[in-house]
Amino acid sequence: MDPRARAFVDLFENLKPADVAWLGRYYTEQAYFRDPFNEVHSLAGIQAIFDHMFKSLEAPRFKVLDVLVQDQQCFLSWDFEFGLRGRSERIHGASHLRFADDGRVAYHRDYWDAAEELWEKVPVLGALMRWLRLRLRVA
């Protein structure tokens, strides 16, 4: 595996709260990060997102399933497992990374379906989301 991707996968599969302080080893100072809830343009912003993740969720953990690298770009598919209010949850998603010349990540975009992975699991909102999905389905 590409050494840049290997380092990033190792980081994410073993990420702990204390690791947030040294994410600068893996992200550039002006790194861009976006997911369905956040968009930041700095290492400090990325650190704040991961710090919040550890404070808000129980035992958050990534398991990387696939890695594809071409030149400065990397695509990862993953499962994100965590606890929330005593319930185990899992989100399946993907990340698009772009590496800077020094091998650190300059761009990190996460893709996952917030409607399917989260909103459909909320009691009242979930019923509405499932109803909409049925109404919008072609067949």
Side-chain angles (χ1 to χ4, degrees):
M1 182 187 303
D2 180 284
R4 300 166 300 180
R6 167 57 42 212
F8 199 80
V9 168
D10 288 345
L11 168 70
F12 269 77
E13 288 192 329
N14 299 294
L15 193 63
K16 295 181 180 33
D19 300 336
V20 172
W22 49 269
L23 285 178
R25 296 179 187 173
Y26 299 90
Y27 287 95
T28 64
E29 285 296 320
Q30 298 304 315
Y32 173 81
F33 176 91
R34 183 170 180 183
D35 68 12
F37 299 114
N38 303 284
E39 182 174 16
V40 296
H41 297 267
S42 68
L43 172 60
I46 294 168
Q47 289 171 312
I49 289 168
F50 285 101
D51 186 52
H52 178 73
M53 174 189 77
F54 282 112
K55 289 177 180 172
S56 303
L57 303 174
E58 301 156 11
R61 172 176 179 275
F62 290 91
K63 180 176 183 195
V64 175
L65 306 173
D66 299 293
V67 179
L68 299 169
V69 179
Q70 182 177 5
D71 301 322
Q72 298 294 90
Q73 311 235 20
C74 179
F75 178 83
L76 309 171
S77 68
W78 42 259
D79 283 337
F80 177 54
E81 300 170 347
F82 59 95
L84 184 61
R85 297 183 191 114
R87 292 181 47 205
S88 294
E89 301 288 348
R90 176 180 293 151
I91 293 174
H92 180 70
S95 296
H96 176 205
L97 310 174
R98 287 190 198 129
F99 295 110
D101 290 338
D102 66 3
R104 294 183 297 162
V105 173
Y107 175 94
H108 180 162
R109 174 83 190 259
D110 283 349
Y111 296 93
W112 51 277
D113 185 349
E116 179 181 350
E117 302 288 350
L118 289 181
W119 306 132
E120 284 189 5
K121 297 174 184 176
V122 175
V124 174
L125 186 57
L128 175 62
M129 295 300 294
R130 289 186 295 278
W131 177 81
L132 280 172
R133 188 179 298 267
L134 286 172
R135 296 285 297 163
L136 297 173
R137 188 175 6 198
V138 173

